[in-house]
Amino acid sequence: MTKVIALFNQSGGVGKSTLTLNLGYHLSRRNKRVLLLDMDPQASLTTFMGLDPVDLDRTIYNAVVGEEPLPIHPNIHGVDLAPTNINLCAAELELVSRLMREMRLKETIAPLLPSYDFILIDCPPSLGILSVISLVAATHVLVPIQTQFKSFQGTDLLLNTVAGLRAKANQNLAIAGFVPTLYDGRTTQEFRTLKAIQDQLSPLAPVFEPIPKSIAFADASEERVPLALLKAKHPGVLVLKHIAKALDTMG
């Protein structure tokens, strides 16, 4: 069965797009067929994958709102990409009056499921309709959490959102795990926050190794490549490999 994993946190700046790109790459290195969906109108994932959002004639917007086939750019660093641009902002308003709007993304990707082992969805940093349709389409949700106290405090709201969707729209939605991001182990505050994340969230789902804070991730994004292709021996690469392996082998 295809694993459709929504990378979701209503907070911005936690590394969702970077994580989506890099996990997709490492899953492809495990001989998995991977599709990335950019559901964030900021189009960071699209940009990080080497496309210019301004130049795109067709995006996820055309599929979700216009019910056209999903536009897919194949084999970028071993994965396929369905890109987006700022036009997706209009979907928030245009879907309000549409019947069964919560099912739009699920119906869009349904014909593609036999072609992929993994579909990773980069959700926007909000609790709006774009995040809702992403979570309804997903089989799992993976939660990046910045190892800052304020970011951790927002986890209750996130978990309540997931619980509400489970109750009403997607009863089979599972939590694949939590990924501490931008971790600087030299600071006492971040060490304590990481410990709190591990203690309080591990009963719900796996808490993976923290992804270290490093300028190398920004450098890789600027070069439009996964971190492993820029600095193969960077310690973050091994962490990403471990997370990809865990996602690959989860039930």
Side-chain angles (χ1 to χ4, degrees), residues 180-201:
T181 62
L182 300 169
Y183 178 61
D184 185 351
R186 298 171 299 177
T187 68
T188 301
Q189 182 197 51
E190 294 201 20
F191 177 80
R192 289 176 177 171
T193 302
L194 176 62
K195 185 68 164 56
I197 290 171
Q198 293 167 334
D199 290 347
Q200 297 183 37
L201 298 181

Side-chain angles (χ1 to χ4, degrees), residues 15-169:
K16 287 189 297 293
S17 301
T18 299
L19 190 59
T20 303
L21 185 161
N22 283 281
L23 289 179
Y25 171 78
H26 286 292
L27 287 167
S28 75
R29 298 295 293 171
R30 296 179 63 84
N31 295 316
K32 301 302 175 183
R33 301 166 298 166
V34 181
L35 172 65
L36 308 183
L37 302 184
D38 193 349
M39 286 298 293
D40 186 348
Q42 297 179 72
S44 295
L45 177 61
T46 297
T47 302
F48 294 168
M49 293 289 284
L51 301 182
D52 186 343
V54 176
D55 293 338
L56 297 173
D57 293 326
R58 296 179 64 253
T59 66
I60 284 179
Y61 168 85
N62 300 91
V64 171
V65 177
E67 299 185 70
E68 300 177 12
L70 194 67
I72 295 175
H73 293 246
N75 196 23
I76 305 174
H77 309 307
V79 304
D80 295 350
L81 171 70
T84 197
N85 59 24
I86 195 66
N87 291 340
L88 192 59
C89 284
E92 295 272 8
L93 294 175
E94 294 183 47
L95 290 176
V96 167
S97 61
R98 303 292 179 94
L99 293 174
M100 301 295 289
R101 59 184 178 273
E102 292 85 359
M103 302 297 293
R104 282 300 180 93
L105 187 60
K106 185 179 182 70
E107 292 171 350
T108 295
I109 66 174
L112 302 172
L113 296 181
S115 300
Y116 294 100
D117 301 300
F118 283 88
I119 297 177
L120 305 185
I121 307 174
D122 183 17
C123 296
S126 72
L127 299 176
I129 186 64
L130 296 178
S131 291
V132 169
I133 65 175
S134 298
L135 292 168
V136 169
T139 58
H140 298 79
V141 56
L142 182 67
V143 183
I145 303 177
Q146 186 177 356
T147 50
Q148 294 283 340
F149 180 70
K150 183 177 180 180
S151 182
F152 177 52
Q153 275 190 315
T155 308
D156 285 345
L157 177 59
L158 184 152
L159 292 175
N160 288 337
T161 300
V162 172
L165 284 167
R166 273 178 170 169
K168 296 183 179 180

